Amino acid sequence: MSANKRRTPSLLSVVAPVYNEAELIETFVQRTCAALADYSFELVLVNDGSSDGSEEALDRLAAADPRVRVIHLSRNFGHQAALTAGLEHATGDIVAMLDSDLQDPPELIPTMIARWEEGADVVYAVRERREGETAFKLATASWFYRLFNKLAQVDLEPDSGDFRLLDRRALDALLAMTERSRFLRGMTVWIGFTQTAVPYERSARYAGETKYTLRRMLRFSLDAIASFSHVPLQISTYLGLLCAGVAFVAIPVVIGLRIAGSYLPGFGTITIIMLLIGGMVLIALGVIGEYVGRIYDEVKHRPLYIVREERNQPAPWQGAGLTQGPQARRARAGLPMIERSAPPRPQ
Ligand code: UDP
Ligand code: MG
């Protein structure tokens, strides 16, 4: 894109979920504010039901700096729901999302903004190196991305996480996807637009421990695959077809053997086959159950998160329902309205 077409952001929103990060949250805010000193920005920190003093730390930070907005959720809703809460409350023209544990360096955001200025709508950071992760986490992550890309219809960069910068149009498209089980990194690819990668080195956690236990990681991967692929459902169909096919071929064989007089009782074989087929039927039912459960979650249409309190919320638009539309967002952010003069009507 030529230089005169470059766009400039009037407000940047930085969204980060916070769950029991009392040890490092102040450092995170300091580093982010220092890295973005040249921009007009708001920092939207979503407290995902922390219970370790993060809440008080966040309130202090919000009291000290009006650019720091804090959204306290009513309980722990999980990383992806907390991120969604932050994205829905962001008022900027461009929105960056990153983890608050300083594994995603906020110093990379200006580089991401530069890509956006050049015309990219979704800028995603790709980890070139990952420090301080266990071999187990690296291996399971790599298996997951390989499996996901085989099964799902979206092409997700293997080493990209949720560290992304989105243009307002892309963000609105993302927020229009109302599904309950959210795999945000897949969803930001699915929406399309111009996507660009920025390489970075992912550092180790600054302090504290990972909040993703093995169980949570497993749940997260199942959610991701089930929301982007029907292949697991189709696998049961193919397995069923295979079994039926084998049985179909076996019928004349058994009849033939019986006529030939060499028929063996084969009790063991039958037991094994029954167990095998029973197992496959149960697996198929389990797969269907996973999807039916998700359909149930979707139709209940519960909110993804519940806000308990907000700090430094842009007055006077307080209800979430009033946040729609660029003018409402600009008013919330204290920016002047966009003047739109209607083109003259042809007589
Ligand atoms: N997080 C959250 N809610 C949760 C779990 C995590 O808001 O239920 C936040 C956490 O504070 C951090 C980010 O999500 O900023 C990523 O979590 P973590 O660092 O534990 O995951 P990892 O980097 O180990 O995958
Ligand atoms: Mg982390």
Side-chain angles (χ1 to χ4, degrees), residues 21 99 101-103 133 137 202 205 209-211:
E21 310 282 12
D99 287 354
D101 62 359
L102 289 167
Q103 283 197 283
E133 304 277 20
K137 175 132 189 172
R202 188 165 166 92
R205 214 172 210 289
E209 284 181 351
T210 177
K211 310 298 179 306

Side-chain angles (χ1 to χ4, degrees), residues 7 13 32 39 65 117 134 144 205 210 223 245:
R7 29 187 190 180
S13 300
T32 310
Y39 298 89
D65 188 342
E117 284 170 349
T134 59
F144 165 72
R205 214 172 210 289
T210 177
D223 268 345

Side-chain angles (χ1 to χ4, degrees), residues 266-277:
F267 180 75
T269 323
I270 288 178
T271 317
I272 290 171
I273 289 174
M274 273 176 61
L275 282 175
L276 197 72
I277 292 181

Side-chain angles (χ1 to χ4, degrees), residues 16-21 24-25 28 46-50 73 76-83 98-104 127 130 133 137 162 185 202-203 205 207 209-213 216-217 220:
V18 181
Y19 179 49
N20 292 349
E21 310 282 12
L24 53 74
I25 192 65
F28 171 77
V46 183
N47 169 21
D48 189 14
S50 303
L73 299 187
N76 179 251
F77 282 90
H79 181 201
Q80 302 285 303
L83 255 182
L98 76 172
D99 287 354
S100 60
D101 62 359
L102 289 167
Q103 283 197 283
D104 302 329
R127 324 178 248 239
R130 296 175 82 169
E133 304 277 20
K137 175 132 189 172
D162 283 324
R185 55 196 84 164
R202 188 165 166 92
S203 24
R205 214 172 210 289
E209 284 181 351
T210 177
K211 310 298 179 306
Y212 269 95
T213 56
R216 273 191 173 207
M217 281 203 298
F220 185 57

Side-chain angles (χ1 to χ4, degrees), residues 259-303:
I259 292 170
S262 63
Y263 179 71
L264 290 171
F267 180 75
T269 323
I270 288 178
T271 317
I272 290 171
I273 289 174
M274 273 176 61
L275 282 175
L276 197 72
I277 292 181
M280 284 201 277
V281 169
L282 284 180
I283 292 173
L285 278 178
V287 171
I288 294 170
E290 284 286 331
Y291 282 89
V292 173
R294 278 186 178 76
I295 296 170
Y296 183 50
D297 281 346
E298 296 293 337
V299 295
K300 275 192 289 192
H301 220 83
R302 288 190 180 158

